[in-house]
Structures are given as C-alpha cells and as structure tokens.
Amino acid sequence: MNLVVGNLVDPVFRPPSEWDALLIAITNGCTRKCTFCSMYRSKTFSIRKNIEEIKKDIKLAGVIYGNRVRKVFFEDGNAFVVKPEILIELTEYCYKIHPNLKKVSAYAHAKDITKKSDDDLKRIADSGFTMVYVGIESGDDDVLKACNKGTTQDEFTLAAQKCHKAGISWSGIFLLGLAGNDPEKSRKHAIESAKSIDRMAPPTLINWYISPLTLGITPGTELWTQRSTGEFQPCSSTQILEELYTMIEYTSDDLQKCIFNTNHASNYLNLKGELSRDKNKFLEIIETAIKNPNMCRPDYIRGL
Ligand code: SF4
C-alpha cells in the first residue's frame, strides 16, 4: 500500500512497482494529451511552486511513517519536467528526512530528459534520484505522431542513452495495439518498437527495464471518439499476441540485462524474464497462447 500524506489531487497514478512508495506531488497533471490517455484529463498541468510546502509534506511523512519510507515516487504524469535544481533539492531532502530511503523515481516524457544537459542529469543522479518511467508506446514515428506523443524514436533513444550515461535507471513502457488492427501497421508498430528497444540498450552492463502494456480505450479520449467513428479499429486479442511476438522476435539476440515484464493488469499474458536470455521461451509461450486462447487473461480480469 502506498504511503501518503494528504498532498495529492485525485486521480493519482503510479507504476505498479511503486505500490509501496511514498507519493509526493511536485506537479499536478501531465504536460501532454496523448490521444489514448485519460489519466490526467481532469487536471490542468501545474508545477507546485512552493518548495517549502513540498518539504513539509516530505517531513510530515517522517512523522507519520517513521523509518518505513524506502521509496519515494514524485507525482504526477511527468514530474521529471521540473528544473534540475528542484529535483536535486527535493531528492536530497527526501534522503535527509528518510534514513532508509533507497529509491526516488518519477514518470518522465522524453523531452523532460533531452532538454536537460548531461551535467544536469548527472547531478540529479548524484543527488539520489534513481529511476525514470517513460511511456514510449511505440518505436514507429507514424504511430507516435498519430497519438500525439510529441516525440520520435530518435528522441527516445537519445533520452535513454542520456539516462544510462548519467546513472539514472531506465524503465520504458510500450503499448500493444496502438496502431490499430490494420495488419501492416500493427506489424510495423511491433518491428519499429523492437528496433527502438535495441537502440535504447545501455553501453554498459546495467539493469534496464521494458514493459509492454495493452491498449484499453477509455471514455473522454480522442481515441474513444476515433473508435466510435470507425477511424480507429482495435486489434483482436490474437493480433495483440502477434504484436508481442513480433516485438520480441525482432529484438537483437545480444541484449543484456534487459528486464522484460508484461505483468501489467492490461496484458493477456504474464511474461517475466530477460531479453535476450529468455527470448525463445517467451516466443514459445506466446505461440502456444495464440493456439490456445484460454491461456490468456480474460477481459474481466485484465482490469480494463
Ligand atoms: S505523456 Fe503519458 S501521462 Fe501524459 S498524456 Fe501522454 S500517456 Fe498520458
């Protein structure tokens, strides 16, 4: 269960692996409006300007939770957008107040990273900020453009390499089904995503993380409207599995320490292991699931 101190504005989101983190709001909402994403539609993006108030929240958590805080997750949608000095000051303060703290992380858009210099990113890492979670969605620039992601495969590659160089762990999230059910587009989405994964690989032996999710179409989004007009037609469950298969198949056999995880509730299959070490095992499981759809999580369990 997350540790909270009453500083959050609903709705609140965080990565599954931050289920036990102290959640500290340093921004509200997200700077972008991707066509498939409804998460922060009810919020106008803003940065909390009063640093002393944020520090009070961090300190209050020490009073409430004592030495129990081991992780801090900065909210909201792309909290990494704030200036380096703010990230550094708040991260250092978190470690000062919480002696058992091991991890400080946030969601980031690629531009929040590429706009920061290598020196700034290194200083952020040195302050104890440990990980960014980045919604990449696709390696296909056409898909990225269509969903209004506001970035390209090249920029994601640069962002990942800048993080590796600085020592900030990289967790990239892809979105199966985002190209729709056109077989050619779906395959291109998968192949370009594999290429994107290869290009994000760190030059040294460090853990990095890739997690595909499966598209769910939610009310209030442009994609919802596009589906209702027929402009966007969603993939079948088989197509989603085929995309996952192709994405894995096309990744390089030389990837190392790439922790690959499809445990998100939206997915049909739960795969966990390392690319490339477990590549063949993953492909066999997916192939079997395509032939035996009852192996897949049913929709009512997928939490969509
Ligand atoms: S950048 Fe992420 S959180 Fe923001 S709108 Fe896009 S998908 Fe949603």
Side-chain angles (χ1 to χ4, degrees):
M1 207 173 79
N2 282 117
L3 310 180
V4 292
V5 290
N7 62 348
L8 305 167
V9 179
D10 281 334
V12 176
F13 301 93
R14 45 92 186 139
S17 52
E18 300 299 330
W19 63 273
D20 53 350
L22 168 66
L23 304 180
I24 294 292
I26 66 171
T27 62
N28 279 306
C30 178
T31 54
R32 296 212 62 82
K33 276 196 174 56
C34 301
T35 61
F36 58 86
C37 177
S38 62
M39 295 204 303
Y40 303 102
R41 293 292 170 121
S42 58
K43 297 181 182 183
T44 304
F45 176 77
S46 64
I47 293 173
R48 284 181 78 191
K49 299 278 186 221
N50 192 331
I51 301 297
E52 292 312 312
E53 265 185 21
I54 303 175
K55 284 185 173 176
K56 269 189 205 163
D57 293 336
I58 295 167
K59 198 169 181 181
L60 178 60
V63 176
I64 298 174
Y65 299 110
N67 289 345
R68 281 170 53 204
V69 176
R70 287 180 167 72
K71 295 179 185 174
V72 168
F73 183 74
F74 289 145
E75 298 283 355
D76 247 343
N78 57 328
F80 203 74
V81 72
V82 303
K83 289 198 170 88
E85 271 57 42
I86 296 175
L87 283 170
I88 291 166
E89 186 175 344
L90 291 175
T91 300
E92 285 177 345
Y93 192 71
C94 285
Y95 281 94
K96 185 176 163 195
I97 297 296
H98 301 288
N100 291 322
L101 187 60
K102 299 279 183 285
K103 180 180 183 186
V104 178
S105 60
Y107 283 129
H109 186 273
K111 283 195 176 6
D112 306 336
I113 297 162
T114 55
K115 281 184 179 170
K116 290 180 173 66
S117 70
D118 287 354
D119 182 53
D120 283 340
L121 290 169
K122 178 80 172 65
R123 289 189 305 115
I124 291 168
D126 288 347
S127 73
F129 187 96
T130 42
M131 180 180 266
V132 283
Y133 294 90
V134 183
I136 298 161
E137 328 305 351
S138 180
D140 183 347
D141 285 350
D142 291 332
V143 174
L144 291 171
K145 192 170 176 195
C147 78
N148 193 32
K149 194 73 204 178
T151 187
T152 60
Q153 186 188 120
D154 281 351
E155 198 169 10
F156 280 123
T157 307
L158 177 63
Q161 296 303 340
K162 280 172 78 79
C163 283
H164 299 325
K165 191 172 172 190
I168 297 172
S169 294
W170 178 262
S171 181
I173 302 146
F174 284 84
L175 197 52
L176 300 166
L178 190 56
N181 75 348
D182 179 282
E184 217 171 285
K185 288 182 181 169
S186 167
R187 189 166 167 78
K188 183 162 164 260
H189 169 48
I191 291 173
E192 287 298 311
S193 294
K195 188 168 146 195
S196 174
I197 292 171
D198 288 353
R199 294 181 72 201
M200 289 186 300
T204 53
L205 279 182
I206 50 169
N207 282 349
W208 53 301
Y209 303 84
I210 295 294
S211 308
L213 273 54
T214 297
L215 178 71
I217 304 179
T218 46
T221 61
E222 290 75 14
L223 203 62
W224 179 273
T225 310
Q226 287 167 11
R227 184 180 64 176
S228 62
T229 60
E231 191 186 334
F232 183 89
Q233 290 170 346
C235 287
S236 66
S237 54
T238 305
Q239 279 181 305
I240 294 288
L241 291 175
E242 286 168 353
E243 262 185 20
L244 181 61
Y245 187 99
T246 306
M247 182 192 285
I248 294 172
E249 182 189 18
Y250 273 75
T251 53
S252 161
D253 291 337
D254 299 326
L255 296 179
Q256 294 192 69
K257 289 186 156 298
C258 176
I259 313 299
F260 189 86
N261 195 339
T262 63
N263 71 345
H264 191 266
S266 62
N267 287 318
Y268 287 102
L269 284 179
N270 192 349
L271 305 176
K272 180 154 190 195
E274 252 185 61
L275 281 176
S276 319
R277 190 193 66 194
D278 299 318
K279 184 175 183 177
N280 289 337
K281 183 179 82 182
F282 290 158
L283 294 177
E284 272 173 34
I285 294 171
I286 300 165
E287 205 170 16
T288 310
I290 290 171
K291 289 178 193 150
N292 303 282
N294 57 350
M295 272 177 64
C296 297
R297 282 190 191 128
D299 282 348
Y300 71 92
I301 292 181
R302 287 197 306 120
L304 298 176

mmCIF file of all heavy atoms in Angstrom, residues 30 32-34 36-37 39-40 77 109 137 149, ligand 1:
data_model
loop_
_atom_site.group_PDB
_atom_site.id
_atom_site.type_symbol
_atom_site.label_atom_id
_atom_site.label_comp_id
_atom_site.label_asym_id
_atom_site.label_seq_id
_atom_site.Cartn_x
_atom_site.Cartn_y
_atom_site.Cartn_z
ATOM 1 N N CYS A 30 -0.385 16.337 -16.393
ATOM 2 C CA CYS A 30 0.669 15.996 -17.358
ATOM 3 C C CYS A 30 0.748 17.103 -18.394
ATOM 4 O O CYS A 30 -0.266 17.739 -18.704
ATOM 5 C CB CYS A 30 0.321 14.663 -18.044
ATOM 6 S SG CYS A 30 1.532 14.177 -19.291
ATOM 7 N N ARG A 32 1.197 16.749 -21.520
ATOM 8 C CA ARG A 32 0.696 16.347 -22.829
ATOM 9 C C ARG A 32 -0.732 15.812 -22.758
ATOM 10 O O ARG A 32 -1.255 15.550 -21.664
ATOM 11 C CB ARG A 32 1.613 15.280 -23.442
ATOM 12 C CG ARG A 32 3.011 15.793 -23.711
ATOM 13 C CD ARG A 32 3.618 15.118 -24.912
ATOM 14 N NE ARG A 32 2.888 15.350 -26.146
ATOM 15 C CZ ARG A 32 3.005 16.430 -26.916
ATOM 16 N NH1 ARG A 32 3.824 17.396 -26.593
ATOM 17 N NH2 ARG A 32 2.318 16.536 -28.038
ATOM 18 N N LYS A 33 -1.304 15.616 -23.944
ATOM 19 C CA LYS A 33 -2.613 14.961 -24.049
ATOM 20 C C LYS A 33 -2.515 13.920 -25.157
ATOM 21 O O LYS A 33 -2.873 14.175 -26.301
ATOM 22 C CB LYS A 33 -3.703 15.982 -24.399
ATOM 23 C CG LYS A 33 -4.262 16.720 -23.203
ATOM 24 C CD LYS A 33 -5.571 17.415 -23.552
ATOM 25 C CE LYS A 33 -6.233 18.049 -22.349
ATOM 26 N NZ LYS A 33 -5.414 19.005 -21.616
ATOM 27 N N CYS A 34 -2.004 12.758 -24.839
ATOM 28 C CA CYS A 34 -1.931 11.685 -25.832
ATOM 29 C C CYS A 34 -3.353 11.190 -26.113
ATOM 30 O O CYS A 34 -4.188 11.154 -25.208
ATOM 31 C CB CYS A 34 -1.054 10.554 -25.313
ATOM 32 S SG CYS A 34 0.636 11.100 -24.945
ATOM 33 N N PHE A 36 -4.790 8.446 -26.494
ATOM 34 C CA PHE A 36 -5.322 7.233 -25.848
ATOM 35 C C PHE A 36 -5.413 7.379 -24.342
ATOM 36 O O PHE A 36 -5.931 6.490 -23.663
ATOM 37 C CB PHE A 36 -4.404 6.044 -26.165
ATOM 38 C CG PHE A 36 -2.978 6.284 -25.713
ATOM 39 C CD1 PHE A 36 -2.586 5.996 -24.424
ATOM 40 C CD2 PHE A 36 -2.046 6.830 -26.579
ATOM 41 C CE1 PHE A 36 -1.298 6.246 -23.994
ATOM 42 C CE2 PHE A 36 -0.747 7.091 -26.167
ATOM 43 C CZ PHE A 36 -0.377 6.796 -24.878
ATOM 44 N N CYS A 37 -4.908 8.476 -23.788
ATOM 45 C CA CYS A 37 -4.684 8.539 -22.342
ATOM 46 C C CYS A 37 -5.719 9.443 -21.666
ATOM 47 O O CYS A 37 -5.860 10.608 -22.021
ATOM 48 C CB CYS A 37 -3.276 9.060 -22.078
ATOM 49 S SG CYS A 37 -2.915 9.261 -20.333
ATOM 50 N N MET A 39 -5.709 9.640 -18.228
ATOM 51 C CA MET A 39 -5.300 9.667 -16.818
ATOM 52 C C MET A 39 -5.421 11.039 -16.156
ATOM 53 O O MET A 39 -5.864 11.149 -15.033
ATOM 54 C CB MET A 39 -3.865 9.146 -16.680
ATOM 55 C CG MET A 39 -3.726 7.684 -17.059
ATOM 56 S SD MET A 39 -2.318 6.847 -16.306
ATOM 57 C CE MET A 39 -0.911 7.781 -16.807
ATOM 58 N N TYR A 40 -5.002 12.073 -16.853
ATOM 59 C CA TYR A 40 -4.948 13.380 -16.178
ATOM 60 C C TYR A 40 -5.863 14.398 -16.849
ATOM 61 O O TYR A 40 -5.642 15.600 -16.714
ATOM 62 C CB TYR A 40 -3.500 13.887 -16.159
ATOM 63 C CG TYR A 40 -2.561 12.914 -15.481
ATOM 64 C CD1 TYR A 40 -1.730 12.080 -16.225
ATOM 65 C CD2 TYR A 40 -2.513 12.818 -14.094
ATOM 66 C CE1 TYR A 40 -0.879 11.172 -15.601
ATOM 67 C CE2 TYR A 40 -1.667 11.916 -13.459
ATOM 68 C CZ TYR A 40 -0.851 11.098 -14.230
ATOM 69 O OH TYR A 40 -0.015 10.202 -13.605
ATOM 70 N N GLY A 77 2.012 13.154 -13.752
ATOM 71 C CA GLY A 77 2.229 12.475 -15.037
ATOM 72 C C GLY A 77 3.628 12.540 -15.603
ATOM 73 O O GLY A 77 4.098 11.567 -16.190
ATOM 74 N N HIS A 109 8.581 12.388 -19.587
ATOM 75 C CA HIS A 109 8.436 12.420 -21.039
ATOM 76 C C HIS A 109 9.854 12.535 -21.613
ATOM 77 O O HIS A 109 10.744 13.090 -20.947
ATOM 78 C CB HIS A 109 7.575 13.628 -21.430
ATOM 79 C CG HIS A 109 7.236 13.684 -22.889
ATOM 80 N ND1 HIS A 109 8.051 14.281 -23.816
ATOM 81 C CD2 HIS A 109 6.183 13.195 -23.578
ATOM 82 C CE1 HIS A 109 7.503 14.170 -25.017
ATOM 83 N NE2 HIS A 109 6.370 13.509 -24.901
ATOM 84 N N GLU A 137 5.506 3.881 -25.771
ATOM 85 C CA GLU A 137 4.321 3.443 -26.520
ATOM 86 C C GLU A 137 4.674 2.718 -27.816
ATOM 87 O O GLU A 137 4.204 1.632 -28.069
ATOM 88 C CB GLU A 137 3.335 4.591 -26.830
ATOM 89 C CG GLU A 137 3.236 5.732 -25.829
ATOM 90 C CD GLU A 137 2.927 5.352 -24.395
ATOM 91 O OE1 GLU A 137 2.613 4.194 -24.132
ATOM 92 O OE2 GLU A 137 3.021 6.243 -23.529
ATOM 93 N N LYS A 149 2.097 11.888 -29.243
ATOM 94 C CA LYS A 149 3.103 11.685 -28.185
ATOM 95 C C LYS A 149 4.098 12.837 -28.122
ATOM 96 O O LYS A 149 4.700 13.105 -27.086
ATOM 97 C CB LYS A 149 3.845 10.359 -28.446
ATOM 98 C CG LYS A 149 4.645 9.872 -27.271
ATOM 99 C CD LYS A 149 3.758 9.332 -26.172
ATOM 100 C CE LYS A 149 4.412 9.372 -24.827
ATOM 101 N NZ LYS A 149 3.556 8.890 -23.748
HETATM 102 S S1 SF4 B 1 2.619 11.671 -21.615
HETATM 103 FE FE1 SF4 B 1 1.891 9.835 -20.519
HETATM 104 S S2 SF4 B 1 0.581 10.576 -18.842
HETATM 105 FE FE2 SF4 B 1 0.866 12.281 -20.285
HETATM 106 S S3 SF4 B 1 -0.914 12.184 -21.631
HETATM 107 FE FE3 SF4 B 1 0.721 11.003 -22.626
HETATM 108 S S4 SF4 B 1 0.453 8.870 -21.925
HETATM 109 FE FE4 SF4 B 1 -0.785 10.192 -20.563
#
